[in-house]
Amino acid sequence: MHPHTPRTPGTRQRRRTGSRLTGTLLATAALLAGALTAPTAAGADASSDDRTTATDPRPQAQAPYRNAKLPVDRRVADLLGRMTLAEKVGQMTQAERAAVDGDRDQITRLGLGSLLSGGGSTPKPNTPEAWADMVDAYQEKALATRLGIPLLYGVDSVHGHNNLVGATVFPHNMAMGATRDPQLVRRAAEITATETRATGPQWAFAPCVCVVRDVRWGRSYESYGEDPDLVTRMESAIDGLQGTRPEDLARPDRVLASAKHFAGDGDTEYGTSTTGTYTLDQGVTVTDHESFNRIDLAPYVPAVRKHHVGTIMPSYSSVKWTDAGDGKPVKMSAHKELLTDVLKSKIGFDGFLISDWEAIHQLPGDYAAQVRASVNAGMDMFMEPYAAPKFVETLIKEVEAGRVETSRIDDAVSRILRAKFRLGLFEKPYTDRSNADTIGSPAHRAVAREAVAKSQVLLKNSGGALPLKKSQKIYVAGVNADDLGNQAGGWTVTWQGQSGNGHFPGTTILGGIKEHAEQVTYSQDAAAPTEGNDVGVVVVGETPYAEGMGDVGNGGHTLNLSAADKANIDRVCGAIETCVVLDVAGRPQIVTDELAKTDAFVMSWLPGAEGGGVADVLFGRTPFTGKLPVTWPRSEAQEPINVGDTDYDPLFRYGFGLSARR
Ligand code: GLC
């Protein structure tokens, strides 16, 4: 959040330590003991400037919290002072929209603070208007509560407003990391925020500031890279989503952001996942404090202090200290030292923590123990998609039994209300649709196409194979040459993404090549005759996945090329003099043996809907400038392998990328 918002005297003043983030958590806790003053007593006295217009029909129209002229903290204190325990706990509760659709009045009954669309949880039809109508219908139920507190609606807009058909679909974060262009990342985020807010949601569960240290992780493509400094540079995405001034959050083209997943989600040890069949995702980060601070925690300091991120999502994963404690892993959702002592007190995070989807269900003990442990560790809002009524009932009981302090509830609710006031939701709770006509516009798609072009990494180019010439006869093979679903990857219209064309508009890589060249033959399995062609382009890669479903070792996923892709390379590169291979995948694949068969090799990542950007660099309209954001292993056995490792001997090192001009 923004530190320079004027705080009225007496409200909570937080130390702004300039000290570097060093040392152990124990030292941190000692340093901060007593550094915080208690929040002001709830309820502000009404004064002459508190009056709002007498005709205002809203609940408590005359109350100070209704007065937009008052400082946010004053409004928060007034509203908090009016709330019952049940209303406070309701604000700490987030449900999946599908869970309330059959009985929307429960939004009013429970006083729910938030709803979300999980991946692929979309209205029918999946159109901008239907989205806005849906969100506004839920909002109406929230405004019908005694105090009329508006609803926050969150979605995973992680590479555009990707749940919406017709939205601009950007490359995933690993590709954006390859651009090394923070301003481009910010522009993409601004477009994402514009298209998201214009359809109702005011909150994006993005960006992932995860630092991927083992590309066998199914969420590798959601990371900007393996270097925490690179990830930090790409946090310009937060500025794009939220804006850079306190008042920006109330704009119709900005949304609340969520830095995720705090912390060490990309640094877990292979095979340590304690949930489901995952092998990395949601596993255990086995580390010492120095390494954890330097790699996993580092991006969160600027996310809070420089970018004022409004929310942070703790990770499903656990941390197991090798240099302190009893050596037992502790889930981030209940990690008091890291959530409260470090993130909130030491780093100064004054937004709110949102749990991940049913993440507290992975905590030890019964549901009451899970709720209690997470709230007391510092979690503020709970993504309990299908258990909202049970969560509300359980937390109320825990407070009434004295096992959760009212002060912890008031802290959580104050953080949530502060975000809602800053978003302008009390003044404009319904969707401002004025930017809806920009969704998927040529101007927006042009930025996505630029991002695609700048993300392409040229890893080999012998004999001047690239750039291609429009006069050349080009033979294209590989399913990923002509599959929008595969080139967009997971988190696209559905949670896991889906192969095929027709699910959403866009341009395939083949479509892009045809924009540039006059004679193009496409044969998905390279069965068509190759004679007479000047150059072969073989597009290999992965099919869509999301989260742990994409972990190597899960559901048949490996880093190896498929047999069909290998066969295409053998056929096309064995028959045509000049041969270019493109890899459309969420992470480096093992190409050590195939590399020698190619003249040129390009990593295209998951480019999203604008495949034309790939062709732009293939034909030299745009120069190759992309650089690897992760190390490229010779074999799967080399993982995890990261820049800075001793005896570092990858196929391509972190930061590698050739340039090739016309
Ligand atoms: C998922 C993901 C998280 C996402 C959330 C809501 O499980 O871990 O990144 O924001 O649930 O979809």
Side-chain angles (χ1 to χ4, degrees):
M1 289 315 216
H2 300 275
H4 41 275
T5 304
R7 291 185 186 286
T8 46
T11 54
R12 184 170 65 177
Q13 299 301 321
R14 184 186 56 254
R15 269 173 60 110
R16 279 255 175 253
T17 54
S19 61
R20 266 176 45 76
L21 188 62
T22 55
T24 68
L25 302 177
L26 299 177
T28 299
L31 172 72
L32 290 153
L36 302 176
T37 54
T40 46
D45 58 304
S47 63
S48 59
D49 66 355
D50 292 349
R51 296 291 163 215
T52 52
T53 55
T55 57
D56 186 335
R58 293 174 301 173
Q60 315 268 328
Q62 306 307 312
Y65 78 88
R66 287 282 180 208
N67 186 343
K69 296 189 184 74
L70 292 179
V72 165
D73 279 358
R74 179 81 173 281
R75 301 177 75 181
V76 168
D78 174 61
L79 179 49
L80 189 71
R82 298 169 186 272
M83 295 171 76
T84 65
L85 173 60
E87 289 167 332
K88 292 176 182 176
V89 170
Q91 286 300 305
M92 297 170 66
T93 311
Q94 180 185 63
E96 159 63 33
R97 55 156 286 274
V100 301
D101 243 1
D103 169 20
R104 293 182 180 180
D105 287 340
Q106 72 180 289
I107 297 169
T108 312
R109 289 197 308 274
L110 295 173
L112 290 181
S114 178
L115 292 179
L116 83 146
S117 278
S121 179
T122 59
K124 290 179 180 50
N126 188 346
T127 62
E129 185 179 15
W131 269 90
D133 290 346
M134 172 183 77
V135 174
D136 287 353
Y138 299 140
Q139 187 65 276
E140 189 177 359
K141 295 298 182 185
L143 298 179
T145 52
R146 181 178 74 91
L147 294 168
I149 302 174
L151 201 65
L152 250 180
Y153 198 97
V155 288
D156 290 278
S157 292
V158 295
H159 64 135
H161 185 5
N162 38 258
N163 277 312
L164 168 68
V165 172
T168 305
V169 182
F170 288 92
H172 272 291
N173 285 355
M174 189 169 281
M176 301 305 277
T179 70
R180 298 298 197 278
D181 187 340
Q183 286 319 306
L184 177 59
V185 166
R186 173 176 170 167
R187 286 159 60 207
E190 286 170 347
I191 290 167
T192 298
T194 301
E195 298 191 5
T196 299
R197 190 92 183 245
T199 63
Q202 322 93 355
W203 181 14
F205 303 127
C208 190
V209 295
C210 40
V211 182
V212 58
R213 304 292 286 176
D214 186 331
V215 296
R216 291 175 295 182
W217 187 35
R219 308 197 74 164
S220 295
Y221 65 77
E222 296 187 62
S223 171
Y224 290 109
E226 70 187 34
D227 177 354
D229 290 340
L230 172 60
V231 171
T232 295
R233 287 177 60 210
M234 297 300 147
E235 289 179 348
S236 53
I238 299 171
D239 295 343
L241 289 171
Q242 296 190 156
T244 54
R245 302 167 305 163
E247 59 272 24
D248 288 345
L249 267 183
R251 289 169 43 154
D253 57 1
R254 294 292 175 267
V255 293
L256 198 60
S258 191
K260 70 184 187 181
H261 311 78
F262 182 84
D265 50 344
D267 195 10
T268 56
E269 200 161 85
Y270 193 84
T272 58
S273 178
T274 54
T275 52
T277 57
Y278 300 161
T279 48
L280 263 171
D281 194 36
Q282 306 186 10
V284 181
T285 306
V286 182
T287 185
D288 58 76
H289 287 76
E290 188 281 327
S291 304
F292 182 81
N293 287 353
R294 175 168 46 83
I295 296 169
D296 307 302
L297 189 60
Y300 286 90
V301 178
V304 169
R305 292 181 175 173
K306 178 179 179 185
H307 303 286
H308 313 295
V309 70
T311 72
I312 289 176
M313 187 183 293
S315 174
Y316 285 112
S317 57
S318 312
V319 173
K320 176 180 174 180
W321 298 124
T322 58
D323 64 341
D326 59 8
K328 290 180 183 162
V330 177
K331 281 279 183 184
M332 287 309 301
S333 298
H335 208 300
K336 189 172 187 305
E337 279 184 2
L338 289 174
L339 296 184
T340 295
D341 303 342
V342 174
L343 183 57
K344 288 183 173 180
S345 302
K346 167 85 177 165
I347 296 175
F349 176 58
D350 70 354
F352 69 86
L353 296 177
I354 172 72
S355 72
D356 205 335
W357 183 283
E358 297 184 345
I360 66 170
H361 300 193
Q362 297 179 9
L363 299 177
D366 62 10
Y367 190 62
Q370 293 166 341
V371 169
R372 177 170 67 245
S374 194
V375 172
N376 288 336
M379 197 74 78
D380 301 304
M381 185 184 279
F382 291 78
M383 191 185 295
E384 282 296 286
Y386 296 98
K390 183 182 175 188
F391 174 78
V392 168
E393 179 190 10
T394 303
L395 183 48
I396 288 172
K397 283 180 180 169
E398 287 304 301
V399 177
E400 288 171 342
R403 293 187 288 264
V404 173
E405 296 294 329
T406 303
S407 58
R408 174 73 273 273
I409 299 296
D410 287 350
D411 173 51
V413 176
S414 296
R415 291 167 179 267
I416 293 164
L417 295 178
R418 198 152 50 227
K420 293 188 174 185
F421 281 117
R422 287 192 172 144
L423 280 161
L425 294 183
F426 283 82
E427 285 68 51
K428 292 186 176 178
Y430 293 110
T431 305
D432 179 334
R433 306 181 191 204
S434 53
N435 293 312
D437 57 353
T438 69
I439 294 170
S441 66
H444 284 185
R445 293 177 52 215
V447 176
R449 183 168 179 148
E450 176 189 346
V452 173
K454 289 185 173 178
S455 69
Q456 302 302 293
V457 183
L458 180 59
L459 297 168
K460 179 181 179 181
N461 190 25
S462 60
L466 292 176
L468 301 178
K469 300 172 185 63
K470 64 183 303 176
S471 58
Q472 285 177 306
K473 291 181 182 173
I474 299 172
Y475 185 103
V476 181
V479 65
N480 279 14
D482 193 34
D483 191 310
L484 270 177
N486 288 1
Q487 73 185 46
W491 296 106
T492 313
V493 181
T494 65
W495 176 43
Q496 291 292 311
Q498 51 195 325
S499 299
N501 296 317
H503 305 303
F504 54 90
T507 305
T508 64
I509 291 168
L510 176 65
I513 290 172
K514 288 181 174 176
E515 288 174 13
H516 285 269
E518 293 154 358
Q519 301 172 81
V520 179
T521 300
Y522 176 54
S523 176
Q524 177 179 310
D525 57 2
T530 55
E531 291 73 22
N533 285 283
D534 302 314
V535 61
V537 176
V538 182
V539 185
V540 302
E542 296 183 306
T543 53
Y545 52 79
E547 303 194 37
M549 316 296 272
D551 279 0
V552 165
N554 192 24
H557 287 288
T558 80
L559 297 183
N560 298 322
L561 295 180
S562 67
D565 283 346
K566 288 180 181 176
N568 279 345
I569 291 173
D570 289 344
R571 262 199 294 277
V572 176
C573 298
I576 301 177
E577 181 62 25
T578 303
C579 184
V580 177
V581 173
L582 312 181
D583 193 356
V584 174
R587 53 196 165 188
Q589 292 189 286
I590 305 306
V591 296
T592 310
D593 296 341
E594 280 71 25
L595 202 58
K597 302 171 186 172
T598 73
D599 298 294
F601 180 63
V602 177
M603 186 51 175
S604 295
W605 310 108
L606 295 174
E610 303 307 322
V614 176
D616 290 342
V617 285
L618 290 181
F619 286 86
R621 177 186 293 174
T622 307
F624 277 99
T625 54
K627 303 295 178 195
L628 287 181
V630 289
T631 298
W632 195 295
R634 293 181 183 281
S635 66
E636 218 168 271
Q638 278 196 313
E639 288 299 328
I641 178 171
N642 297 287
V643 63
D645 287 355
T646 51
D647 57 54
Y648 181 68
D649 177 33
L651 185 63
F652 298 109
R653 59 178 166 72
Y654 170 84
F656 182 71
L658 302 172
S659 59
R661 296 180 179 284
R662 202 193 290 273

